Amino acid sequence: MRIHIVIVLAVATCLAVAGCGEPDDSTPVACLEGTGTYVKALGDAPAAVKLHGETLISDCLAENQQAGDLATVGTALVAAATELNAEARAKPGSSANLQLGYLLGAAERGAESTNGIHVELIRRLSAAARYSPDNRPLPAAFLSTYREGFDAGHTRG
């Protein structure tokens, strides 16, 4: 009987202190608010971009993320990348290129610590970001500004 009490106390203590080392699987609420939230926040790039001034884009890719949250975040990110890609192709070297790169850099930063559950999302984001009709090469101005944004997003996102 005494061993059972010790085990129960140990488990209770473990749960009370940082969840016993379990990874956080919650998605911040700001990440679930749709495409417009991401596009608006990306106006701050290349400085640190925070959704509603508090949540980094990389924090939207949570370890052990619930499937519904992953679908919601993924849909918003891909839609934002698609919107920014169209603007960036229309004006190579513009702020849309920088914001697009930042979005991808921040998403990759967030996905690095999630044991691969975001691999497909990153692949889809990359495809949306680097889309070019008829697979034509993207202009140098597009690519260099995109890279600048990517580096900033991967560092600060």
Side-chain angles (χ1 to χ4, degrees):
M1 178 73 172
R2 183 178 165 139
I3 190 93
H4 293 296
I5 293 172
V6 171
I7 291 172
V8 169
L9 288 174
V11 170
T13 302
C14 187
L15 291 174
V17 179
C20 237
E22 286 295 313
D24 185 12
D25 61 356
S26 61
T27 304
V29 173
C31 302
L32 304 171
E33 294 184 358
T35 305
T37 300
Y38 291 93
V39 172
K40 181 179 178 187
L42 284 162
D44 291 338
V49 171
K50 295 184 178 181
L51 308 177
H52 295 300
E54 59 189 41
T55 303
L56 295 172
I57 292 172
S58 58
D59 291 341
C60 294
L61 304 180
E63 190 171 358
N64 297 323
Q65 191 164 35
Q66 300 297 312
D69 289 353
L70 176 56
T72 300
V73 169
T75 298
L77 289 174
V78 171
T82 300
E83 182 180 319
L84 290 169
N85 171 272
E87 290 179 38
R89 282 185 293 109
K91 296 180 184 175
S94 68
S95 62
N97 290 113
L98 184 77
Q99 294 166 6
L100 181 60
Y102 191 102
L103 178 65
L104 266 288
E108 283 197 13
R109 177 182 180 186
E112 287 175 350
S113 62
T114 62
N115 296 317
I117 68 168
H118 296 98
V119 169
E120 180 61 18
L121 171 58
I122 297 300
R123 186 191 69 73
R124 289 175 186 237
L125 274 174
S126 295
R130 304 289 298 259
Y131 171 76
S132 178
D134 302 322
N135 290 322
R136 286 178 276 180
L138 293 165
F142 179 110
L143 295 173
S144 66
T145 308
Y146 172 90
R147 186 68 201 183
E148 178 186 344
F150 181 91
D151 291 343
H154 199 265
T155 301
R156 295 185 278 281

